[in-house]
Amino acid sequence: MNKRVRVRFAPSPTGPLHIGGVRTALYNYLFAKKHGGDFLLRIEDTDQGRFVPGAEQYIIDSLKWAGIMAVEGVGVGGPHAPYRQSERKEIYCKYAEKLVNEGNAYYAFDTTDELEQLRKELEQAKASNTSYSSHVRLRMKNSLTLSASEVQQKLAAGEPFVIRIKMPENEIVKATDLVREKIEVNTSTLDDKILFKSDGLPTYHLANVVDDHLMDISHVIRGEEWLPSLPLHVLLYRYLGWENTMPQFAHLPLLLKPDGKGKLSKRDGDRLGFPVFPLLWTDPSSGEQSSGYRESGYFPEAFVNMLAFLGWNSGTEQEIFSIDELAEYFSIEHVHKAGAKFDFDKAKWFNHQYLIRHNNEELAYDFEKILAQKGILVNFEYIVKVVSLVKERVNFVNEMWQQASFFFVAPESYDSEVIKKRWKDEVPTLIAEIKEVIRKIEVFTAESFKDTVHQFVEEKQANMGSIMNTLRLSLVGGSFGPDLPVIAEMIGKEEVVRRIDKALNTIK
Ligand code: GLU
């Protein structure tokens, strides 16, 4: 690689950043890190009509949460500032003019009605290309059909215009994509895309190409939805005289719905109950909320690890990678061509893997906050112990309460299935008796509790499973949870006795 690696994530702030967007940012970041290059954040906000307040901040917060940090760009600064396209307005105009002056673009003055009329006609005629293109441009109101003085007059009068690329006719544009290899497109199938508008702003295509050139971008790594724009971009590089330093392109596979076909959308998340956004998003106009990975209890490391594997493989059996390890292994050759099916169970599995690797103190710190919200204030060491006992059983810290509430409070209710199966015949009488024996234990530990129960069962020639399960029902309310003697030691003798009493008084 002769050019310094410089890649960019260039989102448009048109709404919350989808996880597919975070994956694009991540691959760019990993690629830069792998090659000792730079990762930039550029905000492409030239489409004022689609601007959504709060979306830019959301993008910045999401990347920060995921640990995908830019070394240059919006929020960081750098030698090519500003990095927000709406603040670079003055830059694009001269390139649009150059394209017009050299005959590669033209002014068009067609009104919305005229364009609508054209579309209808082409559709009725079942034309293969129904857009404004080389096939129809000579029928329209533009600087190719109007005289130079008419054009000047319109511009001087401030008539609304756009600048369109003059797509060559019947020419093959070739491009190389690092994921898909060779691409060839006949320009007759393409339209005369708008590059610049009379509001003084370029469209995505022009601004994107100009900025990638000016910012010395070496590789453009972006979503597959931009692949159809590649021939146009290649032509723009050519017409602007930058073909020799054009970046290399890699288009990433789509993220697909977990079930069926098609792109993963917000609706799939709502329908199947999982987040498609990194952070909680509140729509500024409707107030509608969309859930986020962060608020659902994901560790950013697990989220990043999960995303990395949606469209890429490490070529090894290993699945758990820190972001630094991912960078070490990352290569575009291992990016898949086929779309990546989103798998929610796998996402949870990743979080579980990170949760069990977390140290108990850290988890206890988070769990302590959940307990505090429930008004439960206990010794931190106790929480650490509880966490160590239940971490294997949960995917998220916020699931711990469900698995561990009995360490803090007596059960409110008892599992009816277990009652039906166990709470019968002489069992309640035996439980009442064993309670008295437990009450007499002097040094109450998991060991002494266990020995006492064993001895009792032997003496009475009772069924061990039946007694243990009934005791468990009394202490935790069901048939779940870690080792019973350990639970007994944790909650203490008085509480064990109290809970057996409560069960005897409640269960009929
Ligand atoms: N602004 C484009 C987007 O939002 C960027 C595409 C590109 O990376 O070229 O996806």
Side-chain angles (χ1 to χ4, degrees):
M1 235 166 277
N2 36 21
K3 205 166 162 184
R4 177 175 173 80
V5 166
R6 284 175 57 81
V7 292
R8 81 307 189 269
F9 178 50
S12 299
T14 54
L17 184 63
H18 183 276
I19 53 172
V22 184
R23 188 201 54 179
T24 300
L26 175 65
Y27 284 13
N28 275 284
Y29 171 88
L30 297 177
F31 186 76
K33 211 167 160 66
K34 161 107 185 196
H35 296 285
D38 307 323
F39 169 63
L40 284 72
L41 173 64
R42 184 171 76 221
I43 296 288
E44 302 207 322
D45 58 348
T46 56
D47 191 350
Q48 302 284 298
R50 296 184 63 210
F51 179 81
V52 172
E56 179 186 306
Q57 193 54 45
Y58 181 91
I59 293 167
I60 293 172
D61 294 346
S62 300
L63 296 182
K64 191 166 168 203
W65 176 67
I68 305 171
M69 302 304 282
V71 291
E72 214 180 297
V74 171
V76 196
H80 300 280
Y83 293 90
R84 200 178 278 116
Q85 288 184 329
S86 58
E87 290 167 15
R88 299 170 60 80
K89 269 188 193 174
E90 292 69 32
I91 296 176
Y92 310 108
C93 191
K94 70 168 188 247
Y95 297 106
E97 273 167 13
K98 175 180 160 78
L99 291 168
V100 173
N101 293 341
E102 295 177 6
N104 293 313
Y106 59 91
Y107 288 100
F109 300 94
D110 314 274
T111 61
T112 321
D113 286 348
E114 286 161 347
L115 293 171
E116 183 57 23
Q117 182 64 28
L118 170 70
R119 195 185 55 79
K120 275 197 194 136
E121 271 174 35
L122 292 173
E123 265 175 21
Q124 264 164 19
K126 300 210 175 356
S128 57
N129 189 338
T130 53
S131 31
Y132 202 117
S133 69
S134 58
H135 309 288
V136 299
R137 64 166 81 104
L138 292 179
R139 287 165 37 193
M140 306 301 288
K141 216 193 290 166
N142 54 47
S143 57
L144 304 172
T145 57
L146 302 168
S147 71
S149 63
E150 275 173 310
V151 172
Q152 277 324 311
Q153 234 169 25
K154 283 184 183 299
L155 292 177
E159 257 190 51
F161 68 87
V162 295
I163 294 179
R164 289 178 180 272
I165 184 158
K166 191 173 161 211
M167 197 45 85
E169 272 169 74
N170 204 19
E171 193 180 307
I172 305 290
V173 180
K174 294 185 181 152
T176 306
D177 180 83
L178 296 173
V179 177
R180 270 144 247 275
E181 286 127 34
K182 298 254 173 289
I183 285 156
E184 289 194 1
V185 178
N186 187 315
T187 52
S188 296
T189 63
L190 303 175
D191 55 332
D192 287 1
K193 276 267 179 315
I194 297 175
L195 302 176
F196 199 86
K197 293 165 292 171
S198 47
D199 63 3
L201 284 167
T203 59
Y204 154 73
H205 302 290
L206 181 67
N208 185 271
V209 164
V210 167
D211 283 346
D212 281 346
H213 171 76
L214 296 179
M215 294 179 184
D216 262 332
I217 297 301
S218 63
H219 296 77
V220 167
I221 304 171
R222 62 185 171 192
E224 189 181 283
E225 62 274 27
W226 298 106
L227 193 60
S229 302
L230 184 56
L232 167 64
H233 294 182
V234 170
L235 287 174
L236 287 174
Y237 281 102
R238 185 177 303 165
Y239 297 155
L240 291 167
W242 302 330
E243 206 170 1
N244 289 339
T245 55
M246 185 168 78
Q248 288 186 265
F249 293 90
H251 289 85
L252 306 175
L254 294 176
L255 286 195
L256 304 175
K257 297 178 192 306
D259 54 344
K261 291 199 188 81
K263 214 169 142 177
L264 177 69
S265 73
K266 172 174 146 7
R267 254 170 288 129
D268 299 314
D270 297 341
R271 184 169 59 88
L272 300 166
F274 60 82
V276 294
F277 300 114
L279 315 179
L280 177 78
W281 166 257
T282 308
D283 187 285
S285 52
S286 68
E288 189 202 343
Q289 291 205 321
S290 304
S291 66
Y293 279 82
R294 181 178 64 185
E295 292 73 14
S296 302
Y298 281 82
F299 297 113
E301 300 84 359
F303 173 70
V304 160
N305 198 155
M306 177 274 290
L307 271 188
F309 277 94
L310 288 174
W312 169 82
N313 67 77
S314 66
T316 72
E317 293 286 300
Q318 189 182 334
E319 289 191 278
I320 303 302
F321 288 87
S322 68
I323 196 162
D324 290 346
E325 284 175 314
L326 285 170
E328 220 174 279
Y329 279 82
F330 188 78
S331 77
I332 298 217
E333 290 79 65
H334 279 193
V335 170
H336 307 159
K337 286 191 186 65
K341 233 184 213 327
F342 179 77
D343 179 347
F344 190 44
D345 288 329
K346 193 74 189 189
K348 288 193 273 193
W349 178 85
F350 271 111
N351 209 63
H352 178 72
Q353 295 303 315
Y354 277 83
L355 188 138
I356 58 178
R357 285 166 174 79
H358 259 72
N359 80 42
N360 297 333
E361 278 72 18
E362 266 171 13
L363 296 173
Y365 178 74
D366 289 345
F367 189 39
E368 188 181 37
K369 289 187 212 146
I370 296 175
L371 292 172
Q373 279 164 12
K374 297 184 186 295
I376 297 171
L377 301 170
V378 283
N379 172 312
F380 188 69
E381 289 314 310
Y382 186 81
I383 303 175
V384 174
K385 187 84 195 288
V386 170
V387 161
S388 74
L389 291 169
V390 300
K391 68 196 276 199
E392 285 288 346
R393 297 162 190 269
V394 298
N395 294 325
F396 303 97
V397 173
N398 62 28
E399 284 175 355
M400 282 186 179
W401 175 250
Q402 213 190 336
Q403 288 295 328
S405 64
F406 53 81
F407 282 112
F408 308 94
V409 290
E412 293 276 313
S413 60
Y414 303 91
D415 186 329
S416 56
E417 286 296 309
V418 185
I419 296 176
K420 215 162 95 198
K421 196 164 164 216
R422 306 283 181 192
W423 202 270
K424 56 187 183 198
D425 309 327
E426 78 288 0
V427 172
T429 321
L430 289 172
I431 292 297
E433 284 177 34
I434 202 171
K435 183 192 74 181
E436 292 312 319
V437 186
I438 290 171
R439 200 198 287 279
K440 295 199 188 83
I441 300 177
E442 275 175 18
V443 184
F444 190 79
T445 63
E447 265 322 282
S448 62
F449 172 87
K450 194 170 154 188
D451 292 347
T452 307
V453 175
H454 276 236
Q455 217 179 328
F456 177 85
V457 167
E458 237 166 73
E459 274 168 24
K460 300 281 171 187
Q461 302 214 322
N463 177 316
M464 185 65 150
S466 166
I467 297 297
M468 272 306 205
N469 280 301
T470 316
L471 282 174
R472 181 178 288 277
L473 178 73
S474 312
L475 302 192
V476 315
S479 60
F480 62 101
D483 192 38
L484 195 66
V486 175
I487 299 175
E489 180 179 320
M490 295 273 292
I491 61 179
K493 185 167 90 176
E494 310 305 318
E495 182 64 13
V496 168
V497 169
R498 235 190 327 267
R499 288 194 192 179
I500 297 175
D501 262 336
K502 186 176 171 189
L504 284 166
N505 291 330
T506 320
I507 304 172
K508 293 288 170 253

